[in-house]
Amino acid sequence: MSVAQRQRSALAADKATGAVTEAARQSFDHLLQRAWRAGMVPEGATVEIAPISSLPPKMKEKHAIVLTIAGYGMRLLVTLYFKLDADTRAHFEQLNRVEPGTMSEQAFLDALAECGNICAGAFNRYLGDHFPHIGMSTPNLLSRESMAYVDSLGRSLPRHFEMRGLAQTYWASLFIVAYNDLNFAVRIEAEAETADDTGELEMF
């Protein structure tokens, strides 16, 4: 087989899709909400996270922290949308117990990345029982416009979520690309949602 043929074969395999059962979809939904809460909500704060049919048409959030979570049978893309403004910085100052108005630009970006790390760790902990060869990327801060190219991964199952209860509303998306049929149910014991839930972060 020539190099060109191997490349075409790999591309075709990458775009192959399977079915996602309702149990698997609910498990992914639950994990995203749990992971997002762990990475975004200050101690003692109460928020409501709910699925929404689509993102707001006039979002002012121009950037997203993007996580890639991949196994042999699937690939997930988790996107957490942010405005790089004073209000968002104030939220992460509160979250990291930093004195208001003192967080530097680099510390702000690092805090966004750490939010992504915590989310990735939560996925890693609970998906590892079902996908033993799972790997995760380090968080990447990308322009929101880049999300228009998600379809290049193959047919995906997008899910969108809204978090209310903080000083401002936040949004997140989950894109599921199934190479094989996905049918599993995550069992999460009742426990405090703390940073201890995050597990270890694998990088590739």
Side-chain angles (χ1 to χ4, degrees):
M1 181 183 292
S2 68
V3 173
Q5 287 174 323
R6 286 197 298 270
Q7 289 175 335
R8 286 194 294 269
S9 177
L11 182 61
D14 190 53
K15 288 183 177 295
T17 58
V20 181
T21 66
E22 181 64 16
R25 184 194 61 76
Q26 290 183 2
S27 294
F28 285 131
D29 284 4
H30 184 81
L31 285 179
L32 183 141
Q33 293 178 63
R34 183 182 180 87
W36 195 22
R37 188 185 300 271
M40 277 291 295
V41 181
E43 184 178 353
T46 300
V47 300
E48 178 183 353
I49 301 176
I52 54 177
S53 58
S54 61
L55 295 173
K58 296 182 179 180
M59 285 178 63
K60 295 182 179 179
E61 287 73 7
K62 301 299 182 183
H63 294 83
I65 291 290
V66 179
L67 310 171
T68 300
I69 303 165
Y72 290 138
M74 57 87 187
R75 180 181 297 176
L76 308 180
L77 210 67
V78 178
T79 59
L80 312 174
Y81 302 99
F82 293 105
K83 292 179 287 186
L84 302 186
D85 62 3
D87 290 338
T88 305
R89 187 176 305 202
H91 171 76
F92 279 93
E93 287 174 337
Q94 178 189 5
L95 187 64
N96 290 277
R97 299 177 181 177
V98 174
E99 185 177 345
T102 63
M103 180 175 278
S104 68
E105 183 69 19
Q106 186 58 55
F108 178 33
L109 296 177
D110 290 344
L112 292 174
E114 180 58 20
C115 173
N117 275 331
I118 292 172
C119 289
F123 271 95
N124 184 44
R125 173 174 179 173
Y126 293 108
L127 287 179
D129 293 337
H130 304 276
F131 303 93
H133 302 291
I134 197 168
M136 308 201 180
S137 70
T138 53
N140 292 288
L141 180 63
L142 302 178
S143 166
R144 183 167 60 86
E145 282 73 13
S146 63
M147 295 300 99
Y149 297 95
V150 168
D151 286 344
S152 66
L153 295 175
R155 185 172 48 184
S156 61
L157 177 64
R159 303 283 295 163
H160 306 292
F161 298 85
E162 181 178 78
M163 179 187 288
R164 291 184 175 274
L166 300 174
Q168 56 184 323
T169 301
Y170 291 94
W171 290 275
S173 296
L174 171 66
F175 299 89
I176 305 170
V177 180
Y179 304 134
N180 302 320
D181 291 347
L182 300 179
N183 181 23
F184 71 100
V186 172
R187 291 185 176 86
I188 299 178
E189 58 278 89
E191 61 184 45
E193 295 180 355
T194 68
D196 292 338
D197 292 347
T198 58
E200 296 179 357
L201 179 62
E202 281 187 54
M203 293 179 285
F204 64 89

